[in-house]
């Protein structure tokens, strides 16, 4: 079918469309209900079907004859390790570890926090939880203990799974002390911490609550898959909102499995047996959807890469991986290619590898700038496809559909530079003004999606359904509010211009400026502050603090900057890349005292801005522009 037929069919009768798509996966008991409204005013798909996500990713693949096919290619240039793990072997590892987890008291519905680097045991951990019907919550390794503690108190995990260390370029980062610190700082205490010991750095397992990953599996009975309902949670993934309290996005089992299978085949154009690479980390939604669950549920071989695009050992490492495993398609953030281009501008390292297996490359997570686009497509001579999604949706909202037999009337891969392509079936995307009126094509506004959202999209926040409703469904009744701004062209192509809230995107990592502001403003010398994102050549955006010092405080600007940088690193984490704080005399405010953040965002992005009519003193904006220039920002 052509794109337009699919899109129209899903729009005209979503329930019928997604009832048919439910047949993509193996249910223990087929859902009787396709779409249900929930008590909190949201929706759930396939609520009463019975399935198990681990079964779909492993046992079902084996039943289909893929037992000896490679499920995961673990490639770790930072430890010089490679492993090809078949579906049979992965199922055995997962079943055994699930048995061990069950022995430690983990059962259906319990939560488990995972803080691990990109080693195969991390995938085993996620899948073992899914096998038991337990709910995992992966925390990205770059977060500081304080951030982990916030998540521990919210998710209340029964156990924590970690590794002795992670490797960042040539640094070995001890993870266990970070976990200990997080537990010490949290009110909730897990029963135990299970540690996967890596030979590069062993952790001290010095408390009775510290257990060894291998030892707990000795003599254990492997666990079978526990059936769960379609609406039961599979995982919680915390993401940045506008405050210091991250949002625990809850993913269900049923809608998620159907949506991933749909996207893997139709959007990414992957079939069982293909080799797929999601070049990200299990700490992010891409890692959940398209390193672990999606490719395995679709019978692909998935690359599990522990390294960086550069300096591990060089800017040719991505090309080596593509050639060595015959990668057919991949997902990547544009940052990675910007970093590679900086080191190898002429792409000489790519030319040393046979990249003929590659059909196309998908990019997302942040804006794809035109020069990266042209550099990459000229170098690889394959379609470079920008597409758009979020942690909340779990799969793309706009994208070319590379798997449709007749993808679109025109060439599906034909890019419209700056556009993330057209809405996928199930996403009725509208551009609204601040009052909720639909804007004509070409005019920028709030990008929203008419409810209900399709299967796979989150419909609750852990322990806080009201927050889901207030965050996403209240600003524009009847719509899901994405938090992104942008416009649509005459042919329905969507252009994302950036966030309309206080979220920034640093190296494809979503971060809350509000969270950093809480840390900065807690410094005793700081009267008030605003953290804004400035443009960065490699990472897209970087946070910068604009800080007003308390009257009478005697502190040198450089010393204050150093102290604030240290505090954000300690309390949010190194991944925030908060390295600059600029002292200003005052911040622009409305007459009622609200900081004009939207205007600050525009100044930081060097975009033209309209003088807000509510500003109390317009000269402050010139002052800030000048201070940023003096501090070295363009
Ligand atoms: N565990 C511990 N620390 C981590 C970490 C992890 N998993 N990931 C990042 N960090 C730390 C880094 O060591 C670094 O610390 P430093 O300030 O001491 O150097 C800091 O967090 C920032 O890391 P990062 O943003 O990765 O910057 P970098 O300079 O180390 O690397 C790139 C630059 C471009 C190579 C890197 O950002 C990259 O690979 N980007 C692509 C990201 C991506 O794929 N995103 C997809 C998300 S969907
Ligand atoms: P995350 O939830 O971490 O996946 O981040 C989602 C956010 O990243 C979106 O809301 C957008 O702001 C941004 N984003 C994702 N994909 C794109 C894209 N292709 N182009 C521009 N911004 C994007």
């Amino acid at each position: 079918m052509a794109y337009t037929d699919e899109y129209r069919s899903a729009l005209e009768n979503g329930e019928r469309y997604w009832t048919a798509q439910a047949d993509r996966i193996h249910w223990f008991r087929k859902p009787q209900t396709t779409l249900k409204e929930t008590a909190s005013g949201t929706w759930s798909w396939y609520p009463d079907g019975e399935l198990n996500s681990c079964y779909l990713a492993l046992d079902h693949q084996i039943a289909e004859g893929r037992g000896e096919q490679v499920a995961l290619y673990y490639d770790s240039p930072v430890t010089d390790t490679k492993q090809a793990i078949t579906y049979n072997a992965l199922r055995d590892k997962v079943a055994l570890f699930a048995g061990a987890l069950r022995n430690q008291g983990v059962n259906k519905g319990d939560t488990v926090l995972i803080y691990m680097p990109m080693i195969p045991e991390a995938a085993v951990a996620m899948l073992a939880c899914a096998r038991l019907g337990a709910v995992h919550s992966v925390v990205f390794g770059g977060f500081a203990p304080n951030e982990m503690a916030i998540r521990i108190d919210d998710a209340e995990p029964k156990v924590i799974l970690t590794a002795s260390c992670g490797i960042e370029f040539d640094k070995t980062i001890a993870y266990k002390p970070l976990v200990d610190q997080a537990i010490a700082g949290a009110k909730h205490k897990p029963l135990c911490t299970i540690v996967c010991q890596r030979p590069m750095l062993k952790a001290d397992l010095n408390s009775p609550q510290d257990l060894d990953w291998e030892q707990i599996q000795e003599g254990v009975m492997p666990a079978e898959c526990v059936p769960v309902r379609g609406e039961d949670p599979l995982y919680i993934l915390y993401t940045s909102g506008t405050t210091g309290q991250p949002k625990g996005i809850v993913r269900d089992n049923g809608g998620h499995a159907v949506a991933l299978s749909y996207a893997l085949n139709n959007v990414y154009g992957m079939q069982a047996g293909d080799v797929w690479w999601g070049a990200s980390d299990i700490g992010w939604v891409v890692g959940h959807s398209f390193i672990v669950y999606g490719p395995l549920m679709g019978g692909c071989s998935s690359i599990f890469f522990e390294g960086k695009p550069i300096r591990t050992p060089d800017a040719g490492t991505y090309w080596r991986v593509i050639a060595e495993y015959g990668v057919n398609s991949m997902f990547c953030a544009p940052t990675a290619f910007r970093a590679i281009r900086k080191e190898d501008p002429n792409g000489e390292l790519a030319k040393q590898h046979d990249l003929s297996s590659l059909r196309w490359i998908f990019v997302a997570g942040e804006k794809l700038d035109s020069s990266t686009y042209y550099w990459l497509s000229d170098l690889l001579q394959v379609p470079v496809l920008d597409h758009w999604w979020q942690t909340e949706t779990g799969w793309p909202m706009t994208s070319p559909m590379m798997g449709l037999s007749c993808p679109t009337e025109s060439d599906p891969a034909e890019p419209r530079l700056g556009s993330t392509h057209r809405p996928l079936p199930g996403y009725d995307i509208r551009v609204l003004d601040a009052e909720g009126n639909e804007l004509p094509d070409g005019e920028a506004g709030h990008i929203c999606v008419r409810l209900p959202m399709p299967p796979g999209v989150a419909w609750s926040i852990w322990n806080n359904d009201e927050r889901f409703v207030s965050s996403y469904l209240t600003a524009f009744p009847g719509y899901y509010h994405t938090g992104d701004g942008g416009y649509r062209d005459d042919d329905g192509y969507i252009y994302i211009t950036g966030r309309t809230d206080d979220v920034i995107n640093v190296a494809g990592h979503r971060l809350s400026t509000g969270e950093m502001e809480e840390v900065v403003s807690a410094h005793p010398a700081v009267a008030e502050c605003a953290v804004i994102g400035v443009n960065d050549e490699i990472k897209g955006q970087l946070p910068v603090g604009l800080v007003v010092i308390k009257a009478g405080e005697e502190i040198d600007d450089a010393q204050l900057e150093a102290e604030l940088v240290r505090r954000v690193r300690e309390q949010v984490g190194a991944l925030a890349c908060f390295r600059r704080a600029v002292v200003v005399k005052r911040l622009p405010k409305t007459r009622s005292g609200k900081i004009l953040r939207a205007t600050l965002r525009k100044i930081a992005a060097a975009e033209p801005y309209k003088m807000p009519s509510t500003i109390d003193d317009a000269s402050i904006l010139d002052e800030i522009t000048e201070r940023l220039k003096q501090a070295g920002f363009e």
Side-chain angles (χ1 to χ4, degrees):
M1 279 239 277
Y3 161 79
T4 34
D5 296 333
E6 291 287 328
Y7 188 75
R8 197 176 306 119
S9 169
L11 192 65
E12 280 168 5
N13 192 334
E15 266 190 80
R16 191 175 56 206
Y17 189 81
W18 292 110
T19 300
Q21 299 302 333
D23 288 340
R24 302 180 146 273
I25 65 164
H26 178 90
W27 298 89
F28 296 150
R29 188 168 156 271
K30 284 209 169 207
Q32 304 301 302
T33 308
T34 299
L35 177 62
K36 182 184 92 172
E37 277 190 27
T38 68
S40 56
T42 62
W43 63 89
S44 84
W45 291 91
Y46 318 118
D48 55 3
E50 278 185 14
L51 75 164
N52 180 284
S53 294
C54 177
Y55 180 88
L56 296 176
L58 300 176
D59 307 61
H60 180 65
Q61 303 306 325
I62 294 166
E64 296 281 297
R66 284 188 270 281
E68 284 309 302
Q69 183 195 310
V70 173
L72 293 183
Y73 284 111
Y74 169 53
D75 187 292
S76 170
V78 289
T79 60
D80 210 8
T81 317
K82 291 175 190 174
Q83 281 175 29
I85 307 170
T86 62
Y87 274 94
N88 279 333
L90 189 58
R91 194 266 320 267
D92 291 349
K93 284 175 191 286
V94 168
L96 192 64
F97 191 66
L101 274 184
R102 195 170 47 197
N103 279 0
Q104 300 305 323
V106 175
N107 286 303
K108 184 173 170 177
D110 290 335
T111 50
V112 174
L113 189 135
I114 300 174
Y115 187 74
M116 296 182 76
M118 284 293 290
I119 54 176
E121 286 79 0
V124 169
M126 293 165 76
L127 291 161
C129 291
R131 196 168 187 87
L132 297 174
V135 183
H136 59 70
S137 185
V138 181
V139 177
F140 179 66
F143 279 117
N146 172 56
E147 287 289 323
M148 209 190 316
I150 293 173
R151 287 154 174 79
I152 291 173
D153 279 336
D154 194 65
E156 301 188 324
K158 209 162 197 184
V159 309
I160 295 189
L161 307 178
T162 190
S164 53
C165 64
I167 318 283
E168 281 292 297
F169 294 113
D170 45 7
K171 270 185 303 188
T172 302
I173 300 178
Y175 273 25
K176 172 69 172 28
L178 303 177
V179 172
D180 289 344
Q181 227 178 307
I183 296 173
K187 288 191 203 75
H188 172 82
K189 305 294 174 197
L191 293 179
C192 59
T193 301
I194 300 170
V195 185
C196 176
Q197 295 281 23
R198 304 187 76 186
M200 296 70 75
L201 179 77
K202 298 244 168 150
D204 286 336
L205 306 187
N206 36 22
S207 106
Q209 279 80 42
D210 294 342
L211 303 177
D212 178 87
W213 191 280
E214 297 300 330
Q215 274 173 14
I216 61 158
Q217 298 185 66
E218 282 166 15
V220 158
M221 283 280 289
E224 288 307 314
C225 294
V226 175
V228 296
R229 285 166 57 87
E231 65 183 352
D232 284 342
L234 169 66
Y235 69 77
I236 311 165
L237 182 57
Y238 288 87
T239 191
S240 299
T242 48
T243 67
Q245 180 67 30
K247 295 186 271 202
I249 299 300
V250 181
R251 189 82 55 213
D252 61 15
N253 275 275
H256 177 244
V258 173
L260 291 192
S261 155
Y262 182 90
L264 188 83
N265 296 154
N266 291 327
V267 176
Y268 296 107
M270 293 288 98
Q271 296 299 328
D274 282 343
V275 181
W276 164 263
W277 184 12
S280 180
D281 186 287
I282 52 146
W284 308 113
V285 68
V286 181
H288 287 65
S289 296
F290 295 112
I291 296 178
V292 179
Y293 289 109
L296 297 182
M297 286 176 176
C300 294
S301 301
S302 180
I303 308 285
F304 209 83
F305 178 72
E306 185 186 23
K308 300 267 180 171
I310 52 170
R311 291 169 42 216
T312 57
D314 59 27
T317 198
Y318 271 29
W319 316 130
R320 192 239 340 135
V321 169
I322 293 169
E324 192 165 328
Y325 302 104
V327 169
N328 299 121
S329 177
M330 70 182 290
F331 169 103
C332 192
T335 301
F337 293 118
R338 288 198 293 266
I340 293 171
R341 182 170 74 154
K342 187 157 187 235
E343 308 250 318
D344 180 22
N346 298 323
E348 296 303 334
L349 294 166
K351 293 172 197 153
Q352 294 170 11
H353 295 279
D354 174 4
L355 305 179
S356 56
S357 60
L358 199 61
R359 298 177 201 145
W360 43 73
I361 282 189
F362 279 86
V363 293
E366 54 171 333
K367 205 158 177 54
L368 172 64
D369 54 286
S370 55
S371 70
T372 305
Y373 166 77
Y374 283 120
W375 180 80
L376 194 58
S377 44
D378 286 351
L379 182 68
L380 301 182
Q381 296 293 311
V382 297
V384 174
L385 306 163
D386 193 3
H387 68 324
W388 169 65
W389 48 302
Q390 312 178 304
T391 303
E392 291 85 343
T393 63
W395 64 289
M397 289 185 274
T398 66
S399 180
M401 297 187 73
M402 302 309 283
L404 293 190
S405 54
C406 175
T408 59
E409 300 67 35
S410 56
D411 179 359
E414 182 201 343
R416 292 209 176 173
L417 212 57
S419 167
T420 61
H421 226 269
R422 292 195 276 187
L424 292 183
Y427 291 100
D428 184 1
I429 297 183
R430 309 291 173 103
V431 183
L432 307 180
D433 69 13
E435 281 72 48
N437 305 306
E438 214 168 308
L439 287 166
D441 291 341
E443 274 191 40
H446 299 269
I447 305 204
C448 296
V449 189
R450 273 175 74 104
L451 297 177
M453 296 294 271
V457 176
W459 43 273
S460 66
I461 285 178
W462 187 251
N463 283 335
N464 201 343
D465 282 351
E466 298 79 48
R467 189 167 179 209
F468 185 86
V469 174
S470 65
S471 300
Y472 302 108
L473 308 183
T474 305
F476 301 101
Y479 295 88
Y480 168 85
H481 179 204
T482 64
D484 280 313
Y487 62 96
R488 184 169 59 183
D489 72 12
D490 295 346
D491 298 318
Y493 283 69
I494 302 291
Y495 297 72
I496 306 297
T497 50
R499 297 288 304 189
T500 55
D501 56 13
D502 296 319
V503 166
I504 57 170
N505 220 302
V506 179
H509 305 146
R510 175 169 156 183
L511 297 166
S512 158
T513 53
E515 204 165 351
M516 290 182 241
E517 282 173 11
E518 284 182 22
V519 177
V520 172
S521 55
H523 189 287
V526 172
E528 57 181 353
C529 75
V531 174
I532 52 176
V534 295
N535 295 335
D536 180 75
E537 194 195 344
I538 300 291
K539 296 192 177 176
Q541 281 188 297
L542 278 178
V544 172
L546 300 177
V547 182
V548 180
I549 300 183
K550 279 184 189 156
E553 280 288 343
E554 294 289 326
I555 186 164
D556 174 65
D557 288 6
Q559 187 196 334
L560 179 63
E561 183 174 50
E563 287 177 16
L564 294 174
V565 167
R566 184 174 45 76
R567 281 176 174 235
V568 175
R569 193 180 173 90
E570 279 170 8
Q571 290 180 48
V572 178
L575 91 161
C577 296
F578 181 90
R579 292 183 188 134
R580 297 300 310 275
V582 178
V583 174
V584 294
K585 285 204 201 88
R586 37 200 192 143
L587 290 169
K589 292 194 185 153
T590 61
R591 290 184 196 99
S592 60
K594 256 180 95 184
I595 296 175
L596 287 160
R597 285 163 205 283
T599 313
L600 284 176
R601 275 201 298 273
K602 292 223 152 88
I603 292 180
E607 283 172 13
Y609 60 89
K610 265 208 258 149
M611 187 62 69
S613 56
T614 50
I615 194 164
D616 68 340
D617 179 356
S619 65
I620 303 178
L621 296 180
D622 295 334
E623 252 173 59
I624 289 188
T625 311
E626 196 45 43
R627 277 298 290 133
L628 282 169
K629 268 199 198 133
Q630 283 167 3
F633 297 102
E634 282 305 309

